[in-house]
Amino acid sequence: MSDLTALTLAGARDLLGKGEVSAKELTEAHVAAVEAARPLNAFITETPEKALAMAETSDTRRAAGEAGLLEGLPIGMKDLFCTEGVLTTAASHILDGFHPTYESTVSRNLWDAGAVLLGKTNLDEFAMGSSNMTSHYGAVENPWRREGDNRPLVPGGSSGGSAAAVAARAALAATGTDTGGSIRQPAAFCGIVGMKPTYGRCSRWGIVAFASSLDQAGPMTRTVRDSALMLRAMASYDSKDSTSVDRPVPDYEAALSGDIRGMKIGVPKEYRVEGMTDEIEALWQQGIRWLEEAGAETVEISLPHTHYALPTYYIIAPAEASSNLARYDGVRYGLREPGESLDEMYEATRGKGFGAEVKRRVLIGTYVLSAGYYDAYYNKARRVRSLIARDFAQAYETVDAILTPTAPSAAFGVGDKMDDPIAMYLNDVFTVPASLAGLPGISVPAGLSAEGLPLGLQILGKAFEEETVFKVAGVLEEAAGFEAKPAFRAA
Amino acid sequence: MSVDKDTVAKIASLARIRIDEAQSESLAGELSNILGWIEQLSELDTEGVEPMTSVVSMTLPLREDDVTDGGIPDKVTANAPEAAHGFYAVPKVVE
């Protein structure tokens, strides 16, 4: 394995800064790693030529004394971010051949900071899924395997390609988006760090929209420090996204003091859900002890409406999706299937262009928004969403952060749970409540299952207190000392 | 809440998605299961609770009503399956 692909994002930054390696060398090593990682199917589009050109420009910029925050660091970009002139698919057949004529704000921020594009990473179609199985471009394989069992496992989803690429050392870091857990759950399944910031912290402009009141971009990295570094480059106020928030972006790395003495960490009793494995419970208890040993005080808290978060999510997210996906009509983008009339053309295009899970969600969304059901379903869900947000607000009157598991199990097999949508939805039971409340959350790899698979713990924080989340996550990371490596590593 | 095949066909037509006979059969079962599961929200008393409109309390920003963009029809239509003279082209519609 190449030493350069084994670096952390912050470690590579420091080497570049000292002139011990060039962006070109670092990028060449990663271009080779992306190629070596092809068996995972983590990338939909590889951009080696663009990567090398960007790296050379970066070396020139650095020589001129103009190095940005991520100068010369090669990363993967979830294929949900529009990238100017580079195929952008959202892993859907309906976006065939779509080459955006503009750049998303988050990717623009990353390029402005000096980052280098390795390629566009695979995902669940339109980010709808928890397994990366719904991609039109095929499933992604998790680089991890169960001990003594070579059957492929899912990387989680929807940011499964990003998680697999980072875990397999094919990219130093990658972007993700999280609507109900799509950064945190795949991070947990692949043994990496995934951070969903507060709603409004990163601009949604130029990200293919799934559920606009929930979607947030965030970093997927191998360490908490890398996560802090990358979020600083991604976040900004953006006048093109009216829900983006105009606050200064702090230096998140500076928050990693390791000192959590006197902090109060909540442990929500309602997260002890049916079907959670004993080893997840044991890891959670271990996490509580780690934080206590570091000087924090842990207290049991109640988030009484937790049980209703998933059904609420599965009304609100499909409702917004059915509206957002109305734009794929065979007129403006990608695929067009012929029809005798305009309506037939729409129906044929959307019937062929959308996969099964996307259809299911658009139909559910259309149903809950239709005349006669709008109040009973959609408005009811929005009321329950207010109650869920209130639960967190009340808890945060007494605690600074909250500790929970990230997912109820380790990664499952490719093809499992596909015949039961609700069983699949239950993967997000611990991540969806904070999404509904717009709060920041991070998943940190904290241990291995009995079968040798990574398990994650989640830290949730108050709105716009990412610094607290990073600080607690850093302590957790240090205490867990997670050093295990996946079976498959590129290069 | 249980939905039948006819309801599925009606929703699919509202959503402009073509589905065949076999699909509408299996979708009726799947959608009934999902809707049955989300039905549990009706247990909750939400009397007097305001539906959430914005997850972060903020006032939407206003700007001057100026033209700040435009004049790029070629870029706008660059990804259209069919475009002509700076317009999107669609099948002839006579009703």
Side-chain angles (χ1 to χ4, degrees):
Chain A
M1 183 166 159
S2 153
D3 292 346
L4 294 179
T5 58
L7 293 169
T8 62
L9 193 68
R13 168 196 60 184
D14 297 345
L15 282 188
L16 284 163
K18 283 188 269 181
E20 289 177 24
V21 65
S22 67
K24 185 162 176 282
E25 288 163 331
L26 191 65
T27 300
E28 280 168 349
H30 281 91
V31 165
V34 167
E35 204 176 311
R38 280 182 193 159
L40 299 176
N41 197 27
F43 286 82
I44 291 175
T45 306
E46 297 173 9
T47 56
E49 282 144 30
K50 192 175 176 72
L52 293 171
M54 288 174 94
E56 279 182 31
T57 312
S58 168
D59 282 328
T60 311
R61 244 187 338 253
R62 184 180 295 279
E66 294 162 3
L69 212 51
L70 299 179
E71 195 61 60
L73 298 170
I75 61 169
M77 185 66 59
K78 185 177 185 180
D79 205 12
L80 201 64
F81 291 84
C82 287
T83 40
E84 190 171 356
V86 177
L87 181 68
T88 299
T89 69
S92 182
H93 186 28
I94 211 160
L95 272 170
D96 274 4
F98 175 51
H99 288 76
T101 53
Y102 47 84
E103 189 75 34
S104 82
T105 298
V106 163
S107 55
R108 165 60 51 214
N109 288 346
L110 289 166
W111 313 145
D112 286 350
V116 167
L117 173 69
L118 287 169
K120 306 292 293 287
T121 58
N122 206 340
L123 65 152
D124 279 297
E125 185 181 0
F126 284 111
M128 297 181 192
S130 310
S131 67
N132 216 117
M133 297 283 297
T134 71
S135 168
H136 176 66
Y137 296 88
V140 173
E141 280 187 19
N142 193 321
W144 292 79
R145 290 282 190 276
R146 295 188 187 105
E147 268 167 32
D149 181 346
N150 209 29
R151 281 175 300 175
L153 304 172
V154 302
S158 67
S159 310
S162 290
V166 172
R169 276 69 182 156
L172 288 174
T175 54
T177 62
D178 192 312
T179 304
S182 281
I183 287 175
R184 293 161 286 162
Q185 183 256 19
F189 277 17
C190 292
I192 64 165
V193 175
M195 159 48 114
K196 181 200 91 80
T198 312
Y199 182 81
R201 182 67 286 184
C202 290
S203 168
R204 291 180 296 106
W205 195 81
I207 300 174
V208 175
F210 162 14
S212 305
S213 79
L214 295 156
D215 297 343
Q216 254 302 288
M220 304 185 74
T221 58
R222 292 196 287 266
T223 69
V224 173
R225 178 172 298 278
D226 291 358
S227 187
L229 168 63
M230 188 165 168
L231 179 61
R232 186 178 171 197
M234 292 171 72
S236 67
Y237 167 65
D238 182 9
S239 59
K240 296 203 286 287
D241 171 4
S242 63
T243 60
S244 116
V245 172
D246 192 3
R247 310 178 150 229
V249 180
D251 176 358
Y252 296 115
E253 251 187 299
L256 300 175
S257 64
D259 185 3
I260 59 164
R261 282 174 301 173
M263 278 181 68
K264 275 192 159 177
I265 311 290
V267 179
K269 61 180 185 194
E270 289 83 3
Y271 279 49
R272 234 161 240 115
V273 298
E274 219 177 297
M276 184 166 89
T277 62
D278 291 344
E279 56 193 11
I280 301 275
E281 170 70 34
L283 183 74
W284 193 10
Q285 294 307 320
Q286 178 66 66
I288 293 171
R289 285 194 296 278
W290 282 329
L291 296 182
E292 285 174 349
E293 283 160 17
E297 183 192 340
T298 61
V299 284
E300 184 176 88
I301 55 166
S302 176
L303 300 168
H305 297 91
T306 298
H307 176 67
Y308 298 100
L310 272 177
T312 299
Y313 177 84
Y314 278 96
I315 293 172
I316 289 172
E320 295 184 17
S322 71
S323 169
N324 272 326
L325 271 57
R327 73 192 67 181
Y328 306 105
D329 54 5
V331 175
R332 286 166 285 180
Y333 317 86
L335 187 74
R336 172 184 288 184
E337 286 291 306
E340 287 297 306
S341 66
L342 205 49
D343 272 337
E344 279 190 23
M345 189 271 283
Y346 295 150
E347 290 182 353
T349 300
R350 292 162 63 82
K352 184 129 188 209
F354 292 146
E357 179 62 20
V358 173
K359 282 181 191 159
R360 211 150 36 217
R361 296 203 196 184
V362 170
L363 293 178
I364 289 278
T366 306
Y367 185 78
V368 300
L369 290 177
S370 62
Y373 297 106
Y374 187 92
D375 254 327
Y377 287 110
Y378 185 62
N379 270 340
K380 180 80 182 182
R382 292 202 300 139
R383 287 194 166 88
V384 180
R385 188 174 179 186
S386 293
L387 292 175
I388 289 165
R390 191 190 295 169
D391 285 354
F392 280 105
Q394 283 169 353
Y396 283 135
E397 284 171 11
T398 54
V399 300
D400 302 298
I402 293 172
L403 173 72
T404 81
T406 308
S409 73
F412 49 88
V414 169
D416 291 357
K417 300 184 198 239
M418 287 305 282
D419 50 354
D420 183 355
I422 294 171
M424 187 67 88
Y425 298 168
L426 290 175
N427 265 290
D428 296 329
V429 63
F430 300 135
T431 48
V432 153
S435 293
L436 288 169
L439 301 171
I442 194 168
S443 177
V444 177
L448 291 176
S449 72
E451 297 177 308
L453 296 178
L455 301 171
L457 286 174
Q458 175 179 239
I459 304 289
L460 302 174
K462 299 178 188 175
F464 300 105
E465 292 198 9
E466 280 82 4
E467 288 164 285
T468 305
V469 174
F470 281 128
K471 186 189 292 188
V472 180
V475 169
L476 202 60
E477 177 184 51
E478 175 85 18
F482 186 86
E483 295 280 333
K485 303 277 190 300
F488 181 98
R489 298 198 292 285
Chain B
M1 187 71 196
S2 151
V3 296
D4 55 20
K5 260 172 51 181
D6 291 345
T7 311
V8 171
K10 186 168 157 251
I11 313 168
S13 133
L14 285 173
R16 303 286 187 274
I17 295 177
R18 176 169 298 164
I19 50 171
D20 60 29
E21 222 16 56
Q23 278 178 314
S24 67
E25 191 86 51
S26 65
L27 275 167
E30 287 164 12
L31 298 194
S32 295
N33 277 343
I34 296 169
L35 290 167
W37 173 67
I38 60 185
E39 195 81 358
Q40 54 182 300
L41 292 190
S42 59
E43 301 162 19
L44 275 178
D45 181 6
T46 51
E47 193 61 40
V49 180
E50 279 297 306
M52 184 183 280
T53 46
S54 171
V55 70
V56 170
S57 53
M58 62 182 289
T59 316
L60 281 180
L62 296 176
R63 65 163 174 83
E64 293 302 312
D65 187 15
D66 293 331
V67 177
T68 58
D69 203 351
I72 47 167
D74 290 350
K75 276 189 156 188
V76 171
T77 58
N79 281 286
E82 208 184 331
H85 316 296
F87 294 95
Y88 293 113
V90 295
K92 188 152 58 173
V93 182
V94 183
E95 286 183 6

